[in-house]
Amino acid sequence: GMDGLEASRQIREKERPGGRQAVPIIALTASVLDRDPQAALDAGMNGFASKPLEMPNLLAEMARLLGHQPTAVLDSLPAPPPDTHIDTARGEQLWGGRLPHGQAIRRFLAEQSGGDGAAVGLRQWAAAPLAEQLQTAHRLRGAAANLCLPRLTQLATDLETDLKCPPGPQATATQSAWLALDAECDALAALVGPGDAAAPAAAGGLDQPEALRLVQHLAQ
């Protein structure tokens, strides 16, 4: 029931009376505003890692705070155009291959429809209270970024920004934004196809190099 800043402040307050050693706290954030790192430091945090979550980079920051040898960070990839539906190269790097990336996108789309196989229906949120719309837009932005979906990420970011700006967007503008998100999810569903979690090889067209890479990963 609290954000990361308040949680960090309370952790630090509980540590002081007993003289306990301060546990390292890393801010995991998608924000690029200069004031946010300072706010995290003021709340008692020690380090920073960015969203979308890149596990090697997070582990490197953890190692730094714990005084260990930093692990290797992910190679930087050029950012795709903002209207790109799926950043395939980044998705394969983050998710360990084309197949698991595609399966993750399908799971995400199924969650938006309630998992019952119905059409994705984000437009319903246009009628929700402002706080619920804001929470959902924030969740979508984070999920889309982690799934390497640039256009969906941008649409959710724009909506979240508009919802935060007083006195808030007009109802028609909000509805248009949710319709755009809904349409983008439909486009993604068409791109990745229905898939088949029970038989991923048949559904995904797994080629020999990809199969070999997965077998080598499993052996390791």
Side-chain angles (χ1 to χ4, degrees), residues 22-207:
V23 63
I25 301 177
I26 295 174
L28 182 62
T29 175
S31 175
V32 296
L33 300 178
D34 291 337
R35 66 174 182 269
D36 290 330
Q38 187 59 50
L41 289 173
D42 292 342
M45 295 187 183
N46 309 100
F48 306 92
S50 63
K51 290 192 292 189
L53 175 62
E54 298 174 348
M55 187 57 70
N57 297 346
L58 175 58
L59 292 174
E61 181 68 349
M62 293 168 67
R64 183 187 70 82
L65 291 180
L66 296 173
H68 299 309
Q69 182 67 29
T71 57
V73 299
L74 285 176
D75 295 331
S76 297
L77 293 173
D83 59 347
T84 302
H85 294 290
I86 303 175
D87 184 353
T88 305
R90 190 63 166 171
E92 291 183 5
Q93 185 185 62
L94 283 176
W95 289 86
R98 180 182 57 194
L99 183 62
H101 183 215
Q103 289 174 330
I105 294 174
R106 292 187 192 98
R107 286 195 301 269
F108 165 76
L109 295 174
E111 289 170 359
Q112 310 320 307
S113 65
D116 57 3
V120 174
L122 291 175
R123 60 174 62 89
Q124 62 181 318
W125 290 104
L130 178 60
E132 292 183 16
Q133 289 193 55
L134 185 58
Q135 184 181 39
T136 302
H138 180 79
R139 174 182 61 80
L140 288 171
R141 175 172 67 86
N146 281 327
L147 289 167
C148 306
L149 308 174
R151 177 165 168 73
L152 187 64
T153 301
Q154 188 60 56
L155 288 171
T157 299
D158 292 343
L159 175 58
E160 183 182 11
T161 300
D162 290 343
L163 291 170
K164 287 181 177 178
C165 293
Q170 299 295 324
T172 53
T174 302
Q175 186 174 26
S176 297
W178 284 112
L179 287 172
L181 282 165
D182 192 57
E184 178 60 18
C185 284
D186 286 341
L188 290 169
L191 286 172
V192 299
D196 185 355
L206 190 63
D207 54 27

Side-chain angles (χ1 to χ4, degrees), residues 2 4-27 40-47 65:
M2 64 185 74
L5 297 176
E6 179 59 26
S8 297
R9 284 189 286 265
Q10 292 201 21
I11 289 171
R12 297 303 182 224
E13 285 296 323
K14 292 179 182 296
E15 289 171 338
R16 289 192 187 99
R20 290 189 297 170
Q21 183 177 359
V23 63
I25 301 177
I26 295 174
L41 289 173
D42 292 342
M45 295 187 183
N46 309 100
L65 291 180

